[in-house]
Amino acid sequence: MNATAWKDVEAAVAVSKNKTIKELFAADPDRAKRYTVEAAGWTLDYSKNRLDATTLMALLKLADLSDLKAEIEKMFTGEKINRTEDRAVLHTALRNVDYTKRVFVDGKDVMPDVRGVLEKMAAFADKVRTGAHRGFTGKKIKYIVNIGIGGSDLGPVMANIALTPFGKRNIKCFFVSNVDSTHLAETLREVKADQTLFIVASKTFTTQETMTNALSARAWLVKELGDEKAVANHFVAVSTNADEVSKFGIDTANMFGFWDWVGGRYSLPSAIGLSLMIYIGPRNYQRFLKGYWKMDKHFRTAKFDRNLPVLLALLGILYINAYGAETYAVLPYDQYLSRFPAYLQQMDMESNGKSVDKDGNRVAHATGPVEWGEPGTNGQHSFYQLIHQGTHLIPCDFIGFCKTHNAIGDHHDKLMANFFAQTEALAFGKTAEQCRAEGDPEELIPFKTFEGNRPTNTLLADDLTPETLGSLIALYEHKIFTQGVIWNIYSFDQWGVQLGKVLAKNVLKDLTAEGAPELKHDASTNALIARYRKVLGRA
Ligand code: G6Q
């Protein structure tokens, strides 16, 4: 992190921390207006933060002195900014719906390939939706089972739930990720083989969980339909690895490709989104991409003091690095966004969960936070207590929509009343005087008093559509990118995930070996493995 600029932030915070959010509002009648910005269908109100003008200026200077502008250009123009994997980072090219703009990697314009895959996906999606693509016995496809994990699962699941109102209701989508056989078994109980399309989604096509699930699904299908040839009608692949796809037995004509410059957790707008495109249709999918693109354009061109991703990133840095906050909560007030916090968890924690800077040195400051959340109002009846009155500082992002897709009575007004009331209560609290005025007995005053001064951002859009969802995802992607730039860490590798992929393979050998293998782990792991083997009669 730029030391000089950070010192200025600390100096500004030393002063601003003495003012509560309530005092900041009292001192500036225009505060809400001043600290509200709009872009790509979203309004961000960040006025309920521990932020004054000097602190904001110091944070913006931090962004400037971290060369953020230049780093953004490097990403959008295909420079290999993922140095530890020697790759460009070009998820923005996937939704570059302005096809006149060319994007080069190693001197080659990638846009014709991006367009080509999108067209192939759209043609296939239409065939499945209209029934032109049939199962082996001639029946229409009614069930889609996406088999993938991590970046090849979380995005499709989240978006599929989020865009249910735009989905084809007579197609049911399932997502199998866990290598736990229960996940596959319970899914297969819900579908009929002759009406099911399996999408095997894996960038590498070597991931243990996905390959295990895909092979078992394949065996089930062949058994159910009694013919190996049925695989051709019921299996397609999404991958960058044509060789492995062929080896698996899927014709590469039924493969939808993407490229090494698409990171797993950023791959939803690539062919990884095939299940979503089939469900919501190519036209809605195009609107989804357009939403991303609008936020991309905003991020690339807006001045930092009006730039939603940059502002969210700077506020995050303020709380993590100046106030020591270790977590932040994302609280969508929309049931359709129930998996959004889980999706963001991977995006944020896998990207910025790093402790070594770009020069290979240990960082001298905290980096990526723990991200968590649940849809409102459920969270209010659970963990909000700690946010209101606990000892931890937990900045929150509240996400809501003015309109609902399911207008029933006054549900939506009640939902949104909670949405607005929570950020108000978190910021302004409740004083002892207010409690007394409400007749609370003196001995209960300490318990019923709320300090307030709890920071929140409010993100509000008119309604949840493919477009606003695309913009929302891009907003967080770019927030996380901005933080990585300022912390000077590599946000686009994931060596911790790669480690997991190797570790389990070594233990698997010991679990399944014939006879009495010599266990060479630590004493604890050896004893646990021995206990497992004994129960299964392998001791
Ligand atoms: C994402 C990660 C990771 C990855 C999965 C699945 O950024 O790299 O979550 O998406 O491990 O990998 P495959 O798509 O290669 O199966």
mmCIF file of all heavy atoms in Angstrom, residues 85 148-154 201-211 238-240 258 262-267 272 346 350-351 492-494 497-498 501, ligand 1:
data_model
loop_
_atom_site.group_PDB
_atom_site.id
_atom_site.type_symbol
_atom_site.label_atom_id
_atom_site.label_comp_id
_atom_site.label_asym_id
_atom_site.label_seq_id
_atom_site.Cartn_x
_atom_site.Cartn_y
_atom_site.Cartn_z
ATOM 1 N N GLU A 85 0.344 -16.505 -12.837
ATOM 2 C CA GLU A 85 -0.131 -17.532 -13.779
ATOM 3 C C GLU A 85 0.141 -17.111 -15.222
ATOM 4 O O GLU A 85 -0.287 -17.800 -16.152
ATOM 5 C CB GLU A 85 -1.636 -17.785 -13.575
ATOM 6 C CG GLU A 85 -1.958 -18.404 -12.223
ATOM 7 C CD GLU A 85 -3.449 -18.666 -12.020
ATOM 8 O OE1 GLU A 85 -4.278 -17.886 -12.539
ATOM 9 O OE2 GLU A 85 -3.784 -19.634 -11.344
ATOM 10 N N GLY A 148 -20.500 -28.832 -11.720
ATOM 11 C CA GLY A 148 -19.300 -27.996 -11.641
ATOM 12 C C GLY A 148 -19.086 -27.632 -10.190
ATOM 13 O O GLY A 148 -19.920 -27.938 -9.338
ATOM 14 N N ILE A 149 -17.995 -26.948 -9.895
ATOM 15 C CA ILE A 149 -17.750 -26.554 -8.496
ATOM 16 C C ILE A 149 -17.024 -25.214 -8.477
ATOM 17 O O ILE A 149 -16.404 -24.834 -9.482
ATOM 18 C CB ILE A 149 -16.968 -27.671 -7.737
ATOM 19 C CG1 ILE A 149 -17.013 -27.445 -6.212
ATOM 20 C CG2 ILE A 149 -15.523 -27.760 -8.210
ATOM 21 C CD1 ILE A 149 -16.591 -28.670 -5.392
ATOM 22 N N GLY A 150 -17.080 -24.519 -7.357
ATOM 23 C CA GLY A 150 -16.379 -23.232 -7.219
ATOM 24 C C GLY A 150 -16.884 -22.254 -8.266
ATOM 25 O O GLY A 150 -18.084 -22.044 -8.430
ATOM 26 N N GLY A 151 -15.951 -21.707 -9.028
ATOM 27 C CA GLY A 151 -16.311 -20.730 -10.043
ATOM 28 C C GLY A 151 -17.197 -21.305 -11.144
ATOM 29 O O GLY A 151 -17.870 -20.567 -11.860
ATOM 30 N N SER A 152 -17.219 -22.605 -11.272
ATOM 31 C CA SER A 152 -18.048 -23.232 -12.306
ATOM 32 C C SER A 152 -19.407 -23.647 -11.761
ATOM 33 O O SER A 152 -20.142 -24.397 -12.407
ATOM 34 C CB SER A 152 -17.322 -24.460 -12.885
ATOM 35 O OG SER A 152 -16.074 -24.060 -13.403
ATOM 36 N N ASP A 153 -19.717 -23.167 -10.563
ATOM 37 C CA ASP A 153 -20.992 -23.525 -9.924
ATOM 38 C C ASP A 153 -21.661 -22.317 -9.258
ATOM 39 O O ASP A 153 -22.842 -22.043 -9.495
ATOM 40 C CB ASP A 153 -20.714 -24.605 -8.866
ATOM 41 C CG ASP A 153 -21.887 -24.854 -7.946
ATOM 42 O OD1 ASP A 153 -22.867 -25.458 -8.407
ATOM 43 O OD2 ASP A 153 -21.832 -24.443 -6.763
ATOM 44 N N LEU A 154 -20.909 -21.613 -8.434
ATOM 45 C CA LEU A 154 -21.535 -20.592 -7.574
ATOM 46 C C LEU A 154 -22.231 -19.483 -8.365
ATOM 47 O O LEU A 154 -23.323 -19.035 -7.990
ATOM 48 C CB LEU A 154 -20.480 -19.977 -6.634
ATOM 49 C CG LEU A 154 -20.036 -20.905 -5.500
ATOM 50 C CD1 LEU A 154 -18.687 -20.467 -4.942
ATOM 51 C CD2 LEU A 154 -21.076 -20.937 -4.391
ATOM 52 N N ALA A 201 -19.459 -28.527 -16.397
ATOM 53 C CA ALA A 201 -18.812 -27.211 -16.454
ATOM 54 C C ALA A 201 -17.518 -27.234 -15.669
ATOM 55 O O ALA A 201 -17.523 -27.313 -14.446
ATOM 56 C CB ALA A 201 -19.764 -26.155 -15.882
ATOM 57 N N SER A 202 -16.417 -27.198 -16.384
ATOM 58 C CA SER A 202 -15.128 -27.207 -15.705
ATOM 59 C C SER A 202 -14.081 -26.589 -16.617
ATOM 60 O O SER A 202 -13.852 -27.087 -17.721
ATOM 61 C CB SER A 202 -14.720 -28.641 -15.352
ATOM 62 O OG SER A 202 -13.419 -28.655 -14.817
ATOM 63 N N LYS A 203 -13.475 -25.533 -16.149
ATOM 64 C CA LYS A 203 -12.457 -24.860 -16.963
ATOM 65 C C LYS A 203 -11.346 -25.847 -17.336
ATOM 66 O O LYS A 203 -10.958 -25.969 -18.484
ATOM 67 C CB LYS A 203 -11.903 -23.674 -16.170
ATOM 68 C CG LYS A 203 -10.885 -22.849 -16.894
ATOM 69 C CD LYS A 203 -10.541 -21.604 -16.084
ATOM 70 C CE LYS A 203 -9.304 -20.930 -16.637
ATOM 71 N NZ LYS A 203 -8.899 -19.765 -15.861
ATOM 72 N N THR A 204 -10.861 -26.585 -16.338
ATOM 73 C CA THR A 204 -9.735 -27.492 -16.585
ATOM 74 C C THR A 204 -10.186 -28.879 -17.043
ATOM 75 O O THR A 204 -9.430 -29.613 -17.652
ATOM 76 C CB THR A 204 -8.944 -27.680 -15.276
ATOM 77 O OG1 THR A 204 -9.872 -28.105 -14.260
ATOM 78 C CG2 THR A 204 -8.279 -26.396 -14.846
ATOM 79 N N PHE A 205 -11.387 -29.255 -16.702
ATOM 80 C CA PHE A 205 -11.923 -30.595 -16.940
ATOM 81 C C PHE A 205 -11.079 -31.668 -16.259
ATOM 82 O O PHE A 205 -10.988 -32.810 -16.728
ATOM 83 C CB PHE A 205 -12.074 -30.888 -18.440
ATOM 84 C CG PHE A 205 -13.457 -31.385 -18.785
ATOM 85 C CD1 PHE A 205 -14.535 -30.518 -18.782
ATOM 86 C CD2 PHE A 205 -13.700 -32.720 -19.085
ATOM 87 C CE1 PHE A 205 -15.824 -30.956 -19.076
ATOM 88 C CE2 PHE A 205 -14.987 -33.179 -19.375
ATOM 89 C CZ PHE A 205 -16.051 -32.292 -19.371
ATOM 90 N N THR A 206 -10.463 -31.304 -15.151
ATOM 91 C CA THR A 206 -9.680 -32.290 -14.389
ATOM 92 C C THR A 206 -10.033 -32.231 -12.907
ATOM 93 O O THR A 206 -9.479 -32.987 -12.119
ATOM 94 C CB THR A 206 -8.164 -31.998 -14.520
ATOM 95 O OG1 THR A 206 -7.936 -30.641 -14.131
ATOM 96 C CG2 THR A 206 -7.646 -32.213 -15.919
ATOM 97 N N THR A 207 -10.928 -31.334 -12.524
ATOM 98 C CA THR A 207 -11.235 -31.160 -11.095
ATOM 99 C C THR A 207 -11.902 -32.418 -10.545
ATOM 100 O O THR A 207 -12.892 -32.913 -11.098
ATOM 101 C CB THR A 207 -12.151 -29.923 -10.922
ATOM 102 O OG1 THR A 207 -11.486 -28.817 -11.511
ATOM 103 C CG2 THR A 207 -12.442 -29.628 -9.474
ATOM 104 N N GLN A 208 -11.323 -32.909 -9.444
ATOM 105 C CA GLN A 208 -11.742 -34.212 -8.918
ATOM 106 C C GLN A 208 -13.251 -34.308 -8.678
ATOM 107 O O GLN A 208 -13.912 -35.262 -9.102
ATOM 108 C CB GLN A 208 -11.000 -34.471 -7.594
ATOM 109 C CG GLN A 208 -11.245 -35.838 -7.015
ATOM 110 C CD GLN A 208 -10.808 -35.910 -5.552
ATOM 111 O OE1 GLN A 208 -11.191 -35.094 -4.734
ATOM 112 N NE2 GLN A 208 -9.985 -36.891 -5.248
ATOM 113 N N GLU A 209 -13.799 -33.312 -7.994
ATOM 114 C CA GLU A 209 -15.226 -33.363 -7.640
ATOM 115 C C GLU A 209 -16.100 -33.423 -8.898
ATOM 116 O O GLU A 209 -17.015 -34.242 -9.018
ATOM 117 C CB GLU A 209 -15.625 -32.114 -6.835
ATOM 118 C CG GLU A 209 -15.013 -32.029 -5.450
ATOM 119 C CD GLU A 209 -13.704 -31.267 -5.432
ATOM 120 O OE1 GLU A 209 -12.980 -31.267 -6.454
ATOM 121 O OE2 GLU A 209 -13.387 -30.669 -4.394
ATOM 122 N N THR A 210 -15.806 -32.536 -9.840
ATOM 123 C CA THR A 210 -16.637 -32.440 -11.042
ATOM 124 C C THR A 210 -16.520 -33.687 -11.895
ATOM 125 O O THR A 210 -17.529 -34.215 -12.391
ATOM 126 C CB THR A 210 -16.234 -31.185 -11.842
ATOM 127 O OG1 THR A 210 -16.400 -30.058 -10.980
ATOM 128 C CG2 THR A 210 -17.066 -31.009 -13.088
ATOM 129 N N MET A 211 -15.309 -34.194 -12.042
ATOM 130 C CA MET A 211 -15.131 -35.385 -12.880
ATOM 131 C C MET A 211 -15.790 -36.602 -12.237
ATOM 132 O O MET A 211 -16.410 -37.425 -12.917
ATOM 133 C CB MET A 211 -13.633 -35.649 -13.117
ATOM 134 C CG MET A 211 -12.976 -34.619 -14.013
ATOM 135 S SD MET A 211 -13.840 -34.502 -15.609
ATOM 136 C CE MET A 211 -14.607 -32.931 -15.500
ATOM 137 N N VAL A 238 -18.670 -27.533 -20.888
ATOM 138 C CA VAL A 238 -18.196 -26.155 -20.931
ATOM 139 C C VAL A 238 -16.785 -26.194 -20.377
ATOM 140 O O VAL A 238 -16.585 -26.590 -19.219
ATOM 141 C CB VAL A 238 -19.073 -25.228 -20.060
ATOM 142 C CG1 VAL A 238 -18.490 -23.838 -20.034
ATOM 143 C CG2 VAL A 238 -20.511 -25.215 -20.555
ATOM 144 N N SER A 239 -15.814 -25.850 -21.197
ATOM 145 C CA SER A 239 -14.430 -26.026 -20.749
ATOM 146 C C SER A 239 -13.443 -25.267 -21.637
ATOM 147 O O SER A 239 -13.802 -24.781 -22.710
ATOM 148 C CB SER A 239 -14.083 -27.518 -20.775
ATOM 149 O OG SER A 239 -12.825 -27.741 -20.194
ATOM 150 N N THR A 240 -12.197 -25.200 -21.164
ATOM 151 C CA THR A 240 -11.117 -24.693 -22.009
ATOM 152 C C THR A 240 -10.268 -25.856 -22.520
ATOM 153 O O THR A 240 -9.324 -25.652 -23.262
ATOM 154 C CB THR A 240 -10.181 -23.756 -21.205
ATOM 155 O OG1 THR A 240 -9.697 -24.477 -20.070
ATOM 156 C CG2 THR A 240 -10.889 -22.507 -20.733
ATOM 157 N N PHE A 258 -14.127 -21.537 -23.471
ATOM 158 C CA PHE A 258 -13.690 -20.221 -23.036
ATOM 159 C C PHE A 258 -12.180 -20.250 -22.939
ATOM 160 O O PHE A 258 -11.559 -21.153 -23.503
ATOM 161 C CB PHE A 258 -14.450 -19.709 -21.806
ATOM 162 C CG PHE A 258 -14.389 -20.533 -20.550
ATOM 163 C CD1 PHE A 258 -13.760 -20.050 -19.413
ATOM 164 C CD2 PHE A 258 -15.003 -21.775 -20.472
ATOM 165 C CE1 PHE A 258 -13.733 -20.780 -18.228
ATOM 166 C CE2 PHE A 258 -14.982 -22.517 -19.289
ATOM 167 C CZ PHE A 258 -14.339 -22.023 -18.179
ATOM 168 N N VAL A 262 -9.973 -16.070 -18.558
ATOM 169 C CA VAL A 262 -11.199 -15.948 -17.745
ATOM 170 C C VAL A 262 -10.971 -16.710 -16.445
ATOM 171 O O VAL A 262 -10.849 -17.933 -16.453
ATOM 172 C CB VAL A 262 -12.422 -16.576 -18.463
ATOM 173 C CG1 VAL A 262 -13.681 -16.356 -17.632
ATOM 174 C CG2 VAL A 262 -12.579 -16.016 -19.856
ATOM 175 N N GLY A 263 -10.895 -16.008 -15.327
ATOM 176 C CA GLY A 263 -10.706 -16.675 -14.038
ATOM 177 C C GLY A 263 -11.993 -17.390 -13.637
ATOM 178 O O GLY A 263 -13.094 -16.920 -13.948
ATOM 179 N N GLY A 264 -11.874 -18.514 -12.922
ATOM 180 C CA GLY A 264 -13.045 -19.307 -12.540
ATOM 181 C C GLY A 264 -14.144 -18.473 -11.894
ATOM 182 O O GLY A 264 -15.305 -18.507 -12.307
ATOM 183 N N ARG A 265 -13.776 -17.684 -10.882
ATOM 184 C CA ARG A 265 -14.802 -16.928 -10.136
ATOM 185 C C ARG A 265 -15.323 -15.729 -10.912
ATOM 186 O O ARG A 265 -16.213 -15.032 -10.442
ATOM 187 C CB ARG A 265 -14.258 -16.521 -8.768
ATOM 188 C CG ARG A 265 -12.947 -15.756 -8.811
ATOM 189 C CD ARG A 265 -12.284 -15.725 -7.442
ATOM 190 N NE ARG A 265 -10.931 -15.189 -7.465
ATOM 191 C CZ ARG A 265 -9.840 -15.866 -7.762
ATOM 192 N NH1 ARG A 265 -9.934 -17.122 -8.118
ATOM 193 N NH2 ARG A 265 -8.651 -15.303 -7.725
ATOM 194 N N TYR A 266 -14.728 -15.468 -12.069
ATOM 195 C CA TYR A 266 -15.197 -14.364 -12.919
ATOM 196 C C TYR A 266 -15.846 -14.912 -14.200
ATOM 197 O O TYR A 266 -16.052 -14.176 -15.157
ATOM 198 C CB TYR A 266 -14.020 -13.436 -13.269
ATOM 199 C CG TYR A 266 -13.428 -12.797 -12.023
ATOM 200 C CD1 TYR A 266 -12.400 -13.410 -11.324
ATOM 201 C CD2 TYR A 266 -13.958 -11.618 -11.506
ATOM 202 C CE1 TYR A 266 -11.902 -12.857 -10.150
ATOM 203 C CE2 TYR A 266 -13.472 -11.056 -10.341
ATOM 204 C CZ TYR A 266 -12.434 -11.685 -9.665
ATOM 205 O OH TYR A 266 -11.959 -11.135 -8.503
ATOM 206 N N SER A 267 -16.132 -16.221 -14.200
ATOM 207 C CA SER A 267 -16.489 -16.867 -15.473
ATOM 208 C C SER A 267 -17.986 -16.931 -15.768
ATOM 209 O O SER A 267 -18.381 -17.448 -16.818
ATOM 210 C CB SER A 267 -15.902 -18.287 -15.521
ATOM 211 O OG SER A 267 -16.466 -19.080 -14.502
ATOM 212 N N ILE A 272 -19.682 -20.640 -19.099
ATOM 213 C CA ILE A 272 -20.100 -21.177 -17.798
ATOM 214 C C ILE A 272 -21.550 -20.778 -17.503
ATOM 215 O O ILE A 272 -22.258 -21.441 -16.758
ATOM 216 C CB ILE A 272 -19.115 -20.710 -16.680
ATOM 217 C CG1 ILE A 272 -17.761 -21.417 -16.826
ATOM 218 C CG2 ILE A 272 -19.688 -20.912 -15.274
ATOM 219 C CD1 ILE A 272 -17.728 -22.905 -16.510
ATOM 220 N N GLN A 346 -16.859 -16.185 -2.481
ATOM 221 C CA GLN A 346 -15.756 -16.726 -3.270
ATOM 222 C C GLN A 346 -15.030 -15.612 -4.004
ATOM 223 O O GLN A 346 -13.798 -15.532 -3.992
ATOM 224 C CB GLN A 346 -16.245 -17.756 -4.295
ATOM 225 C CG GLN A 346 -15.045 -18.296 -5.082
ATOM 226 C CD GLN A 346 -15.381 -19.057 -6.341
ATOM 227 O OE1 GLN A 346 -16.423 -18.857 -6.940
ATOM 228 N NE2 GLN A 346 -14.489 -19.922 -6.755
ATOM 229 N N GLU A 350 -11.449 -15.422 -2.284
ATOM 230 C CA GLU A 350 -10.460 -16.128 -3.096
ATOM 231 C C GLU A 350 -9.557 -15.113 -3.814
ATOM 232 O O GLU A 350 -8.388 -15.382 -4.067
ATOM 233 C CB GLU A 350 -11.177 -17.015 -4.118
ATOM 234 C CG GLU A 350 -10.361 -18.223 -4.537
ATOM 235 C CD GLU A 350 -11.194 -19.225 -5.328
ATOM 236 O OE1 GLU A 350 -11.875 -20.045 -4.697
ATOM 237 O OE2 GLU A 350 -11.158 -19.181 -6.561
ATOM 238 N N SER A 351 -10.117 -13.956 -4.117
ATOM 239 C CA SER A 351 -9.320 -12.965 -4.849
ATOM 240 C C SER A 351 -8.339 -12.240 -3.930
ATOM 241 O O SER A 351 -7.155 -12.111 -4.241
ATOM 242 C CB SER A 351 -10.235 -11.933 -5.519
ATOM 243 O OG SER A 351 -11.046 -12.571 -6.471
ATOM 244 N N PHE A 492 -5.901 -12.345 -8.848
ATOM 245 C CA PHE A 492 -6.469 -13.272 -9.830
ATOM 246 C C PHE A 492 -5.854 -14.669 -9.819
ATOM 247 O O PHE A 492 -6.121 -15.465 -10.704
ATOM 248 C CB PHE A 492 -6.410 -12.645 -11.228
ATOM 249 C CG PHE A 492 -7.275 -11.395 -11.303
ATOM 250 C CD1 PHE A 492 -6.708 -10.138 -11.313
ATOM 251 C CD2 PHE A 492 -8.655 -11.509 -11.306
ATOM 252 C CE1 PHE A 492 -7.494 -8.990 -11.346
ATOM 253 C CE2 PHE A 492 -9.453 -10.372 -11.332
ATOM 254 C CZ PHE A 492 -8.870 -9.110 -11.351
ATOM 255 N N ASP A 493 -5.020 -14.958 -8.822
ATOM 256 C CA ASP A 493 -4.587 -16.353 -8.692
ATOM 257 C C ASP A 493 -5.262 -16.953 -7.459
ATOM 258 O O ASP A 493 -5.996 -16.268 -6.735
ATOM 259 C CB ASP A 493 -3.052 -16.473 -8.643
ATOM 260 C CG ASP A 493 -2.441 -15.683 -7.489
ATOM 261 O OD1 ASP A 493 -3.186 -15.292 -6.574
ATOM 262 O OD2 ASP A 493 -1.227 -15.458 -7.501
ATOM 263 N N GLN A 494 -5.052 -18.225 -7.212
ATOM 264 C CA GLN A 494 -5.733 -18.917 -6.100
ATOM 265 C C GLN A 494 -4.947 -20.161 -5.729
ATOM 266 O O GLN A 494 -5.436 -21.270 -5.857
ATOM 267 C CB GLN A 494 -7.191 -19.259 -6.455
ATOM 268 C CG GLN A 494 -7.421 -20.112 -7.701
ATOM 269 C CD GLN A 494 -7.258 -19.370 -8.994
ATOM 270 O OE1 GLN A 494 -7.827 -18.302 -9.160
ATOM 271 N NE2 GLN A 494 -6.454 -19.906 -9.900
ATOM 272 N N VAL A 497 -6.514 -22.719 -3.406
ATOM 273 C CA VAL A 497 -7.488 -23.662 -3.981
ATOM 274 C C VAL A 497 -6.740 -24.800 -4.661
ATOM 275 O O VAL A 497 -7.093 -25.975 -4.532
ATOM 276 C CB VAL A 497 -8.395 -22.949 -5.014
ATOM 277 C CG1 VAL A 497 -9.409 -23.915 -5.607
ATOM 278 C CG2 VAL A 497 -9.102 -21.771 -4.374
ATOM 279 N N GLN A 498 -5.672 -24.427 -5.378
ATOM 280 C CA GLN A 498 -4.884 -25.473 -6.086
ATOM 281 C C GLN A 498 -4.322 -26.476 -5.091
ATOM 282 O O GLN A 498 -4.309 -27.676 -5.348
ATOM 283 C CB GLN A 498 -3.707 -24.856 -6.880
ATOM 284 C CG GLN A 498 -4.055 -23.631 -7.715
ATOM 285 C CD GLN A 498 -5.080 -23.919 -8.814
ATOM 286 O OE1 GLN A 498 -5.627 -25.009 -8.888
ATOM 287 N NE2 GLN A 498 -5.374 -22.930 -9.628
ATOM 288 N N LYS A 501 -6.660 -29.181 -4.181
ATOM 289 C CA LYS A 501 -6.870 -30.168 -5.239
ATOM 290 C C LYS A 501 -5.828 -31.283 -5.151
ATOM 291 O O LYS A 501 -6.098 -32.422 -5.501
ATOM 292 C CB LYS A 501 -6.821 -29.497 -6.621
ATOM 293 C CG LYS A 501 -8.001 -28.528 -6.850
ATOM 294 C CD LYS A 501 -8.064 -27.984 -8.275
ATOM 295 C CE LYS A 501 -9.232 -27.030 -8.449
ATOM 296 N NZ LYS A 501 -9.449 -26.526 -9.785
HETATM 297 C C1 G6Q B 1 -12.034 -19.938 -9.154
HETATM 298 C C2 G6Q B 1 -11.243 -21.050 -8.703
HETATM 299 C C3 G6Q B 1 -12.021 -22.320 -8.416
HETATM 300 C C4 G6Q B 1 -12.451 -23.074 -9.662
HETATM 301 C C5 G6Q B 1 -12.889 -24.467 -9.255
HETATM 302 C C6 G6Q B 1 -13.363 -25.286 -10.420
HETATM 303 O O1 G6Q B 1 -11.599 -18.843 -9.423
HETATM 304 O O2 G6Q B 1 -10.193 -21.268 -9.542
HETATM 305 O O3 G6Q B 1 -13.148 -22.090 -7.615
HETATM 306 O O4 G6Q B 1 -13.461 -22.402 -10.328
HETATM 307 O O5 G6Q B 1 -11.836 -25.103 -8.602
HETATM 308 O O6 G6Q B 1 -12.369 -25.419 -11.371
HETATM 309 P P1 G6Q B 1 -12.691 -26.007 -12.807
HETATM 310 O O7 G6Q B 1 -13.646 -25.100 -13.471
HETATM 311 O O8 G6Q B 1 -11.381 -26.098 -13.520
HETATM 312 O O9 G6Q B 1 -13.305 -27.362 -12.580
#
